[in-house]
Amino acid sequence: MRTFLMSCCVAFLISTTSFADDLNKGDKQVLRIGIIGLDTSHAVHFTKTINSDTPLPQFSGCRIVAAYPHGSADIESSVSRIPGYTEEVQKYGVEIVDSIPALLEKVDAVLLETNDGRPHLEQVIPVLKAGKPVFVDKPVAASLVDAIAIYKAAEILKVPLFTSSSLRFTTGAQEIKAGAIGEILGCDTFSPCPIEATHPDLFWYGIHGVEPLFTLMGPGCETVTRVHTESCDVVVGTWADGRIGTFRGRRGRDGKYMGGYGGTAFGTKGTRPIGSFSGYEPLLTEIIKFFKSGDTPIDPQETLEIYAFMQAADASRQQDGKTVSLKQVMDDASSKAKEILKEKYDLE
């Protein structure tokens, strides 16, 4: 596991230099960005922000020029949004294309925004084979197997890729990460966690609470234990150095969406609330910096551990709250991911 993750990081470093050099050659003055998936409000917000007549300085020189609208085929909350969101982005000069290959002919970088994580592997492979740096919106996939396969494909093809929830880049989380309360001794986070039957329970919305947990705690979680009821989940992670981090997923008594993001961090110099959602601009700023430099802002090891944490939480629920090893779920998923890449995409 560690060997794969380290080689992944090395491959990213090799690929970033060549991309940055290519972007700066010739008279290419605009970074042309394409979107895959118009079934999430993120696609609309990113388009409005980047294609604004008066963009913020960090977004100047960029333009979303084309979009392939199709995302989920069977999640009604996603499918029903596509027509309206397609019409909305067209108001900002975005060309709608009928295939991913057609999109790739027109762009330098890609935002994979499909709300449904299940088609992400299939959708990202042609992007990686075309050598386009890509941001994959949450969840990176609908299984740990696919998440590992996506990162492994990026490693093999030497193309920069990253994923993140916007909650990683909230002001509060970044200040704490920078040392506002000293060394982090523990952390409790919470977020909405409605259940979507097509995804592991925490992948759909719980990622928004798990991402800031790892933002502050860092990688190194070894085991997970989960308590589940219709209205709530509590997941306890134990790190290798003895620290404990928890995530509370909130659904309300009807089992549906219940808003609110936040948590508390415990440090050597005090305790501090993490704070709530800070808007999409901090995440989008990191995405644009990534597109321009090719440097991923998050260690792949940390990202994959986040998904292993959530997959282990699913396994714990299925075993009535039994403690589950992240290494075990990661090892099992890594083996399956390699098989998929070799047999379906001829990558190894």
Side-chain angles (χ1 to χ4, degrees), residues 305-320:
E305 192 170 306
I306 288 172
Y307 284 85
F309 177 97
M310 296 191 293
Q311 192 81 55
D314 236 40
S316 180
R317 175 189 174 182
Q318 293 164 12
Q319 298 174 63
D320 298 321

Side-chain angles (χ1 to χ4, degrees), residues 239-263:
W239 267 248
D241 56 8
R243 294 179 302 151
I244 294 174
T246 70
F247 163 69
R248 175 179 289 266
R250 305 166 68 232
R251 284 184 293 278
R253 295 188 182 279
D254 60 359
K256 297 181 180 179
Y257 178 89
M258 187 175 186
Y261 305 87

Side-chain angles (χ1 to χ4, degrees), residues 208-271:
H208 287 313
V210 179
E211 184 97 39
L213 177 64
F214 275 80
T215 301
L216 300 182
M217 294 287 288
C221 183
E222 291 188 330
T223 62
V224 160
T225 305
R226 174 180 174 183
V227 177
H228 169 82
T229 69
E230 183 178 347
S231 63
C232 182
D233 281 297
V234 175
V235 185
V236 180
T238 302
W239 267 248
D241 56 8
R243 294 179 302 151
I244 294 174
T246 70
F247 163 69
R248 175 179 289 266
R250 305 166 68 232
R251 284 184 293 278
R253 295 188 182 279
D254 60 359
K256 297 181 180 179
Y257 178 89
M258 187 175 186
Y261 305 87
T264 303
F266 308 94
T268 54
K269 297 180 180 179
T271 301

Side-chain angles (χ1 to χ4, degrees), residues 35-36 66-70 95-106 123 126:
I35 293 177
I36 297 173
Y68 172 69
H70 299 295
E95 178 185 357
I96 304 302
V97 298
D98 60 5
S99 69
I100 291 175
L103 178 86
L104 295 174
E105 292 178 358
K106 300 174 181 292
Q123 290 183 321

Side-chain angles (χ1 to χ4, degrees), residues 46 110-113 133-138 160-165 283 287 290-291:
F46 290 170
V110 173
L111 294 163
L112 203 173
E113 293 298 318
V134 55
F135 170 77
V136 184
D137 215 328
K138 63 82 194 166
L161 173 150
F162 95 98
T163 184
S164 178
S165 160
L283 170 61
I287 293 171
F290 160 73
F291 282 160

